[in-house]
């Protein structure tokens, strides 16, 4: 499976600083919404009630997580994803680590390193 294949799934969660307009997580979340994906944001550090603090707070079955958070916090998210049965993760540049990749390989989670914004630009062109 490649990053482009993940776009065949419609239920996403973007994990990172999704409320900060200067961060990629915010841009990815909004670009996925504009492209018609069912997507919500998770930021374990946020006190804002408009964003979830945990994957378990998402009300729908999550197909794909877009990991856009530092790798130390990212590992905790990946562990939570595994406990919830989420098996596909797109790991943004800078969010990857050997610990995350090893955990995913060990637990059978599809972990793909890539950029959602790049993949979405190709996806939009293919749909025309």
């Amino acid at each position: 499976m490649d990053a482009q294949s993940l776009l065949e799934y419609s239920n996403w969660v973007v994990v990172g600083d999704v409320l900060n307009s200067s961060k990629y997580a915010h841009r990815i979340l909004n670009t996925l919404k504009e492209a018609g994906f069912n997507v919500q944001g998770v930021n374990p550090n946020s006190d804002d009630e408009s964003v979830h603090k945990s994957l378990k707070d998402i009300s729908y079955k999550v197909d794909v997580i877009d990991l856009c958070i530092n790798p130390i916090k990212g590992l905790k998210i990946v562990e939570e994803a595994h406990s919830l049965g989420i098996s596909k993760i797109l790991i943004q540049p800078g969010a990857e680590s050997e610990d995350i990749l090893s955990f995913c390989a060990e637990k059978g989670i599809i972990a793909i390193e890539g950029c959602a914004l790049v993949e979405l630009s190709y996806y939009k062109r293919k749909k025309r």
Side-chain angles (χ1 to χ4, degrees):
M1 181 175 274
D2 61 9
Q4 196 62 206
S5 300
L6 294 177
L7 297 176
E8 296 172 12
Y9 297 89
S10 56
N11 295 325
W12 284 62
V13 168
V14 177
V15 179
D17 196 355
V18 295
L19 298 177
N20 184 340
S21 62
S22 70
K23 299 289 187 172
Y24 277 106
H26 174 82
R27 190 166 160 208
I28 292 165
L29 177 71
N30 288 313
T31 303
L32 283 165
K33 281 182 185 176
E34 290 166 10
F37 289 83
N38 180 33
V39 59
Q40 292 187 20
V42 167
N43 183 346
N45 303 320
S46 180
D47 292 326
D48 191 306
E49 292 182 19
S50 68
V51 67
H52 300 287
K53 290 186 78 65
S54 170
L55 294 173
K56 70 181 180 335
D57 299 331
I58 303 298
S59 61
Y60 53 85
K61 182 186 179 316
V62 176
D63 297 319
V64 182
I65 294 171
D66 187 291
L67 202 60
C68 197
I69 194 167
N70 90 46
I72 294 167
K73 293 177 181 164
L75 181 58
K76 290 180 178 114
I77 294 292
V78 172
E79 290 168 348
E80 182 183 14
H82 174 66
S83 74
L84 295 171
I86 301 168
S87 63
K88 292 174 273 314
I89 300 175
L90 179 61
I91 305 171
Q92 294 293 136
E96 77 283 347
S97 73
E98 284 304 315
D99 289 340
I100 289 173
L101 295 172
S102 295
F103 181 86
C104 290
E106 183 181 305
K107 301 297 183 182
I109 296 170
I110 297 167
I112 299 171
E113 295 179 72
C115 177
L117 297 173
V118 170
E119 299 305 328
L120 280 164
S121 70
Y122 291 127
Y123 178 75
K124 287 178 187 175
R125 281 189 235 145
K126 282 182 9 183
K127 285 187 81 172
R128 286 186 192 158

